[in-house]
Amino acid sequence: MHGQIKSMEIIRQPVTKNLRAGKVILKSSEEAGEHIPYKREEIIIILEGNGIVVIEGKKKKIKTGDTIFIAENKKHNIINNSKKKLVYVYVVSIF
């Protein structure tokens, strides 16, 4: 008999010494907002949808399953340019 794995969501940010994480849902035409993770590295995992990541002015298409690494002090933004929602999780290191 096989066990069943159930999906779990983070309903609040975890409390850790060196990490911060969260889930973001962008509706069509929404964006995260350009920002810079000062002295922090960030990993973004696209769970659902399509869009664009802009890192230091360079645009790249993103889709479900993509993982994006943002180096410290790099200006970036996530943009949902599709008609469906874009869902992702992020993990940010805290130095």
Side-chain angles (χ1 to χ4, degrees):
M1 186 169 167
H2 292 91
Q4 210 175 24
I5 298 174
K6 295 186 178 181
S7 175
M8 293 175 32
E9 288 186 27
I10 298 172
I11 55 173
R12 62 187 164 117
Q13 288 189 352
V15 178
T16 71
K17 291 172 99 177
N18 299 310
L19 298 173
R20 186 176 52 145
K23 179 179 177 182
V24 178
I25 300 171
L26 297 176
K27 296 177 187 172
S28 180
S29 302
E30 286 186 330
E31 59 183 75
E34 197 171 73
H35 58 284
I36 300 171
Y38 292 105
K39 295 185 180 180
R40 297 175 180 179
E41 296 173 320
E42 185 171 353
I43 293 176
I44 297 169
I45 303 165
I46 308 301
L47 301 177
E48 179 182 343
N50 301 295
I52 296 173
V53 62
V54 183
I55 302 173
E56 292 291 311
K58 295 180 183 175
K59 295 180 181 181
K60 183 179 179 197
K61 291 181 181 181
I62 54 175
K63 64 185 181 323
T64 302
D66 285 352
T67 300
I68 302 128
F69 171 74
I70 310 291
E72 65 179 297
N73 303 321
K74 298 292 181 185
K75 187 186 319 183
H76 66 282
N77 193 5
I78 303 289
I79 303 166
N80 183 353
N81 65 341
S82 73
K83 295 187 184 215
K84 297 183 178 183
K85 67 182 175 182
L86 174 62
V87 182
Y88 66 91
V89 292
Y90 65 88
V91 179
V92 180
S93 65
I94 301 172
F95 297 134

